[in-house]
């Protein structure tokens, strides 16, 4: 299979947003802070399960011809199989709003290709680095970000308090020069 990554433009408005697909919850990333830097370990579940988040609600047109926002689409032939959305933040970092790869195409390098496009966009626009937020129980995503070179920069154990069924901690990752 030959995947290609394309910059999202006005001719692709029907490709975003896409319904959220389930992802595997196999454990959680456990952060530890020693007062200077973060370290992590993993806790694996005895019985993994699948989870799905609510669909994203956003206007895809905000990523068209916008110097402060970008989206990239992973294509296989004429079909969208993944996407990444990001934008400029106050701290001169590009912030990744969302990275998705269709379940049937995970583990094939599509996420890395999308991340490469996002990083190149950020660097090309003179941003200091790239940042993102994910959840401690999304261990497969955490592993991906760490393998890519991101470092844990902080946590927020109150982000999801309004959702009593979500026992998650927000993890903030950074890819800095």
């Amino acid at each position: 299979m030959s995947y290609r990554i394309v910059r999202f433009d006005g001719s692709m408005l029907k490709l975003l947003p896409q319904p959220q697909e389930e992802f595997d919850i196999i454990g959680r990333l456990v952060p530890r802070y020693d007062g200077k830097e973060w370290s992590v370990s993993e806790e694996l579940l005895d019985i993994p399960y699948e989870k799905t988040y609510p669909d994203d609600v956003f206007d895809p047109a905000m990523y068209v011809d916008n110097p402060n926002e970008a989206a990239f689409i992973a294509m296989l032939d004429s079909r969208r199989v993944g996407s990444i959305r990001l934008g400029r933040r106050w701290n001169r970092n590009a912030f990744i709003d969302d990275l998705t790869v269709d379940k049937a195409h995970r583990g094939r390098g599509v996420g890395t290709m999308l991340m490469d496009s996002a990083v190149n966009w950020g660097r090309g626009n003179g941003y200091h680095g790239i940042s993102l937020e994910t959840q401690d129980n999304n261990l497969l995503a955490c592993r991906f970000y760490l393998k890519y070179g991101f470092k844990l920069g902080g946590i927020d154990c109150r982000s999801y308090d309004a959702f009593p069924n979500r026992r998650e901690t927000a993890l903030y990752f950074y890819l800095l020069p």
Side-chain angles (χ1 to χ4, degrees):
M1 286 187 245
S2 181
Y3 298 102
R4 61 189 172 88
I5 307 299
V6 296
R7 173 85 186 258
F8 183 76
D9 65 32
S11 70
M12 303 174 187
L13 289 173
K14 293 184 180 182
L15 297 178
L16 289 177
Q18 291 289 317
Q20 293 285 330
E21 286 191 323
E22 58 277 338
F23 58 96
D24 295 325
I25 301 293
I26 64 164
R28 63 186 283 265
L29 195 74
V30 180
R32 288 184 180 76
Y33 188 64
D34 69 4
K36 285 187 164 187
E37 61 186 337
W38 290 95
S39 62
V40 296
S41 61
E42 296 181 358
E43 288 180 359
L44 298 177
L45 293 175
D46 292 331
I47 303 172
Y49 62 95
E50 289 185 332
K51 182 172 185 148
T52 306
Y53 285 127
D55 290 339
D56 279 343
V57 178
F58 64 92
D59 180 2
M62 72 185 281
Y63 296 98
V64 176
D65 299 326
N66 184 338
N68 296 314
E69 307 284 337
F72 295 90
I73 306 293
M75 302 293 292
L76 178 61
D77 301 320
S78 62
R79 196 168 45 123
R80 186 207 73 85
V81 297
S83 62
I84 192 167
R85 299 181 288 114
L86 69 160
R88 180 174 189 239
R89 293 301 182 264
W90 64 271
N91 60 359
R92 294 182 35 228
N93 284 332
F95 187 85
I96 295 175
D97 295 313
D98 191 48
L99 169 62
T100 62
V101 176
D102 292 355
K103 194 169 187 169
H105 299 276
R106 294 176 189 158
R108 298 180 182 189
V110 176
T112 299
M113 293 169 62
L114 287 164
M115 188 63 76
D116 289 346
S117 296
V119 168
N120 289 335
W121 178 84
R123 288 182 179 149
N125 283 292
Y127 296 138
H128 177 70
I130 306 283
S131 58
L132 61 90
E133 181 264 335
T134 193
Q135 302 75 37
D136 65 335
N137 67 345
N138 194 348
L139 182 56
L140 294 174
C142 293
R143 285 177 176 174
F144 170 78
Y145 299 132
L146 290 167
K147 182 178 178 183
Y148 193 89
F150 282 79
K151 304 284 186 218
L152 183 62
I155 69 169
D156 184 343
C157 60
R158 305 309 298 260
S159 287
Y160 300 106
D161 281 359
F163 307 98
N165 294 330
R166 286 181 69 172
R167 293 177 201 88
E168 302 167 342
T169 297
L171 305 178
Y172 294 90
F173 288 91
Y174 295 84
L175 184 66
L176 303 172

